[in-house]
Amino acid sequence: MELRVRALESLLVEKGYVDPPALDVLIETYEKQVGPRNGAAVVARAWSDPAFMQALRDDATAAIASMGFTGRQGEHMVAVENTPDTHNMVVCTLCSCYPWPVLGLPPAWYKSPAYRSRAVIEPRSVLGEFGVTLSGETAIRVWDSTAEVRYLVVPRRPEGTEGMDEADLACLVTRDSMVGTGLALTPEEARARGLLA
Amino acid sequence: MNGPHDLGGAHGFGVLPLEDNEPLFHAAWERRAFAVTLAMGATGSWNIDMSRYARERTPPAEYLASSYYRLWFEGLVRLLEECGLATRDEIALGRMRRPSAPVKRVLKAEDVAKVLARGGPVERDTQTAPAFAVGDRVRARVMNPHGHTRLPRYVRGHLGTIERIHGCHVFPDTNAAREGECPHWLYGVVFDAGEVWGEARAGDSLHLDLWEPYLERA
């Protein structure tokens, strides 16, 4: 593949369809700037500020844009909230649609046939592989995002975080918790992983 | 099309490929394939639905054996050929043998941030009223088009309830065939997991965004 891709890139440059510096900027953007820390900031604000949470419910695209996260693969956003009796989980069974402005590019498992096939038919077994076990009482809502609407899961705010500020709260919000294949970390878990001082 | 991409509910794909500290790209070529795909998309020679349709036409055995960026690459090659921007020989050789075809624009480094921030919104103004209201019972149509569609096989024929009206969105089935955007109302539809899979699933549900032509009143 290395050679095939290099050949294609040279051809497209020679034909004048592609400007090489633009390729480097595209890569740098997604390697360095856009990623799940954006979504974590959104969730931390939603946990801290009831007015922002309401804005996220009313028009997630606008609320997220107000924090500076807009654009490609996040043009039409919806936020879905986990509660004590509902858990939300997101998949795209037809390709691998994913909310890029808030989560960055999707991990390999999200794009895998295993996740795309199983998330809709056996979400509890999928969650089990992530180490998440929900009680039988918790209803699972699986969002198959096959149109251009992209979903951001707002995980439940862990207990014992009452005094924490937005910046510290964001350290508890993992990528997987915003896809719905994980839960937000407790402060102890975040400290053990070196994510929180 | 009932292609290899329509994976919802399929069995046999095994455990999830979970990796600790996963890199964003798994090989140097993936990085380049990603960037050239986005840069070519920005030339305006095709739309996102055509891109998806090009990827899902990868022959089934090859599709299932390919990584995500490999599928992007194969889709890009198919579009370049179909749009007359390059020939298969040129692509294999990596050298120009025929003159370039005109493209609408070439993405410049200084415009990348602006173009990404703008994205490609698909909601359109309409004079029509939505046929369904929140709470209406609907059935996902049984249909098997040869072309591109975003109605997954696993919900066809099943009963759902309208839970949200998203607006009037570009219709992928026509847009992928270069037959126009033909915007239609897009609905959030909730299906009972037990009804879809034929077994008790206490309270679990499936939520799909489906265009009006995919639905009929139940």
Side-chain angles (χ1 to χ4, degrees), chain B residues 14 20 30 34-35 56 81 86 96 98 101 103 107-108 164 166 170 190 192 202 211:
Chain B
D20 286 331
E30 289 194 346
F34 166 78
E56 65 202 34
E81 282 189 276
M96 194 155 113
R98 291 189 346 178
V103 293
L107 181 64
K108 295 291 177 191
R164 188 190 276 263
H166 290 295
V170 171
V190 53
D192 174 70
W211 281 265

Side-chain angles (χ1 to χ4, degrees), chain B residues 185-209:
Chain B
W185 287 96
L186 180 73
Y187 302 89
V189 185
V190 53
F191 295 86
D192 174 70
E195 198 270 334
V196 169
W197 304 116
E199 53 189 63
R201 292 294 180 89
D204 290 355
S205 52
L206 297 157
H207 303 252
L208 288 89
D209 295 323

Side-chain angles (χ1 to χ4, degrees), chain A residues 15 75 108 142 144 146 148, chain B residues 22 52 100 120 150 154 207:
Chain A
K15 290 226 178 212
E75 293 93 342
V142 179
D144 189 357
T146 54
E148 298 298 347
Chain B
E22 183 182 332
R52 294 200 181 108
S100 308
R150 299 294 277 181
Y154 75 90
H207 303 252

